[in-house]
Amino acid sequence: MRRLPALRSSHVLRGLALAVAFSCASASAQSTATPLEDNQRITEGYIAIAYELGAVLDPALQPGGASAVRPTWFTFAPNASRTGGEGMLGTAIAKRIIAAARGQPSLSVLHALQRVGLDLQLRATPEKLGLELVLRGVPTDAAASLGALITSLNTAALLDVRTLSITAARFAALYQSSPGFWPLDKVENLVLTLERTLHEGNLAIFSDIGGSGQLYLAWRRSAVGAVTPERVLAEFTLVDAVPAQAVQAYDYALAHAFDTPRPSQFDQLFPGMHYKSLLVAAFALYEQARLSTSPATRDALIAVANNYIAWREQHDMAQPVFSPASPRSDEVSRVALLRALTPLLRTEFGTVIWNYADYANSQPDRDGNPLTSPPTEYNWADFWDRWNGILYAFDQAYLDPTGTWVMPEPIVDPTAPTGGS
């Protein structure tokens, strides 16, 4: 799978200041940074945490290097963050199309994509989707801007004509439902909905879990004497974490690390448990994994710890962003928008490629209807659709732990004359 054009230099930390990255995310409301600039700082912040925590489990790991030890959640996080950034790049390109159209309407979908600088490789599938939207009554520039949203996604999924047709129909319906009277206003509100969704999710997850990782590593560096799981549970704390709950989650993981399937239904296993307690338990599990003499036990404990953190990430931080209790009046439905995009979702965990369509096609056909492709029957905004897809991605990545350490590089906007974002 290709990436969007990026700066292709070897990735070294070079003394990355994590505190700067974290403060940028925390203070974003007061910042003038663009969503893409925030995303890059967050991605770099995750990389710093990934290497420091990775070296706890594998002392031979060096910044910019790779490890054959099973990756932690923080090793996955930089590439997941980059995926959000690629989505934000799609919205940036879409907004350029809209801005150009306000000056002069395009002659065709192809013209709209060409005049913002997209080359043939990047505009082929967006043009295809844009033409489908035009056939469904969406004006040319609006159709082109919506097509641009999928620039960085798994456009191969649209080779299935069922997926192309359903995706186009959903985007057309979203356009029609969008607030605003004029076509460019309607499509701009739709594009802004996606940009806000990605940006808010990126900030929320990094501020919470990235911040917890930073606090844990700072505590660990300051600890006098050997760090043990017992010390983590007794001495390390997060706001709102309940020590007894963290011990309960830790003990459960030790007893069930080799269960098949791996523990993941945490609402049933730990009813009423505060999510911060799961984070404390996860850090204790990483320490126990470090002390394990058996690679199989080490990897099993890391996997349960990863599930604990991912549950916190998706259930408590992402879900309210993807499906807000009080939707904004100037947005389209975030739930419906994510549903339209779900078949095209993809993430490169280093060299390990995960496509949501692969996950959906590996499952039993939900509706048994040959006229609908399986990937269109899922919705990333639905927690369980997202959660099970993520567990599938983890299992794929665990087959090639070294590959997950190929870290993402800066996103470059291919439409920017100076090469900036």
Side-chain angles (χ1 to χ4, degrees):
M1 267 298 196
R2 61 173 173 80
R3 282 200 188 276
L4 288 170
L7 299 177
R8 295 292 181 183
S9 58
S10 61
H11 204 298
V12 203
L13 291 184
R14 297 190 184 96
L16 177 67
L18 175 58
V20 174
F22 181 64
S23 63
C24 167
S26 301
S28 63
Q30 290 77 37
S31 171
T32 58
T34 67
L36 278 172
E37 289 167 343
D38 275 343
N39 176 260
Q40 186 56 36
R41 292 184 180 93
I42 287 171
T43 301
E44 290 170 346
Y46 278 135
I47 291 172
I49 299 172
Y51 274 107
E52 186 172 353
L53 186 59
V56 170
L57 291 164
D58 181 1
L61 178 65
Q62 296 295 318
S67 172
V69 173
R70 177 161 287 180
T72 71
W73 181 93
F74 291 95
T75 310
F76 295 115
N79 282 295
S81 177
R82 157 113 190 180
T83 296
E86 290 176 342
M88 293 177 212
L89 176 55
T91 66
I93 296 171
K95 289 195 293 184
R96 288 172 186 258
I97 292 172
I98 294 167
R102 291 192 187 280
Q104 181 179 0
S106 301
L107 302 176
S108 65
V109 170
L110 177 60
H111 180 225
L113 297 171
Q114 285 177 322
R115 69 178 182 171
V116 296
L118 290 186
D119 61 26
L120 178 61
Q121 180 189 25
L122 292 177
R123 70 173 181 255
T125 308
E127 181 189 10
K128 185 176 182 180
L129 178 59
L131 291 173
E132 285 284 329
L133 290 167
V134 168
L135 292 175
R136 295 175 185 275
V138 179
T140 299
D141 284 299
S145 64
L146 293 178
L149 294 180
I150 69 167
T151 303
S152 64
L153 300 182
N154 174 29
T155 54
L158 295 181
L159 295 175
D160 186 325
V161 294
R162 301 171 300 172
T163 301
L164 175 62
S165 177
I166 292 172
T167 300
R170 288 173 176 170
F171 268 118
L174 282 163
Y175 167 79
Q176 295 298 337
S177 71
S178 183
F181 178 76
W182 300 107
L184 293 179
D185 293 338
K186 292 175 73 69
V187 75
E188 186 170 43
N189 285 330
L190 194 161
V191 169
L192 288 173
T193 302
L194 180 58
E195 182 180 66
R196 289 175 189 150
T197 302
L198 296 172
H199 189 212
E200 290 170 16
N202 204 204
L203 290 170
I205 293 168
F206 183 72
S207 296
D208 183 82
I209 300 180
S212 297
Q214 183 189 33
L215 290 171
Y216 179 70
L217 291 171
W219 173 83
R220 195 179 194 282
R221 289 192 296 269
S222 67
V224 178
V227 174
T228 65
E230 292 74 21
R231 284 191 66 185
V232 175
L233 294 168
E235 300 175 26
F236 176 69
T237 189
L238 295 168
V239 175
D240 294 328
V242 180
Q245 293 180 350
V247 171
Q248 178 190 359
Y250 174 80
D251 288 343
Y252 185 90
L254 294 184
H256 296 274
F258 286 97
D259 284 6
T260 303
R262 189 174 295 119
S264 63
Q265 309 288 325
F266 301 126
D267 57 336
Q268 299 175 23
L269 294 175
F270 308 127
M273 179 174 291
H274 198 282
Y275 45 77
K276 288 291 185 71
S277 304
L278 283 177
L279 295 185
V280 174
F283 292 124
L285 288 170
Y286 287 147
E287 295 293 347
Q288 182 58 49
R290 173 180 64 85
L291 298 172
S292 298
T293 57
S294 162
T297 300
R298 177 199 65 201
D299 288 352
L301 293 174
I302 292 171
V304 178
N306 289 346
N307 283 6
Y308 280 176
I309 298 177
W311 178 275
R312 162 62 175 159
E313 168 204 13
Q314 296 299 327
H315 188 270
D316 300 297
M317 301 310 296
Q319 192 60 33
V321 173
F322 294 162
S323 182
S326 301
R328 293 177 55 141
S329 61
D330 60 347
E331 293 186 353
V332 300
S333 165
R334 294 187 180 191
V335 172
L337 178 55
L338 291 174
R339 181 182 182 223
L341 291 169
T342 297
L344 309 178
L345 297 180
R346 53 169 282 284
T347 295
E348 296 178 13
F349 294 112
T351 61
V352 180
I353 311 301
W354 170 82
N355 293 315
Y356 196 92
D358 293 341
Y359 161 69
N361 285 320
S362 73
Q363 305 300 304
D365 190 349
R366 281 187 164 181
D367 65 3
N369 183 352
L371 299 179
T372 58
S373 62
T376 63
E377 298 163 12
Y378 293 79
N379 188 343
W380 191 251
D382 179 274
F383 171 75
W384 293 108
D385 283 359
R386 189 169 68 255
W387 181 239
N388 289 318
I390 289 170
L391 296 179
Y392 177 91
F394 279 176
D395 285 340
Q396 280 189 305
Y398 293 155
L399 298 175
D400 182 13
T402 303
T404 63
W405 285 98
V406 178
M407 291 295 167
E409 299 189 24
I411 293 175
V412 175
D413 184 345
T415 72
T418 61
S421 60

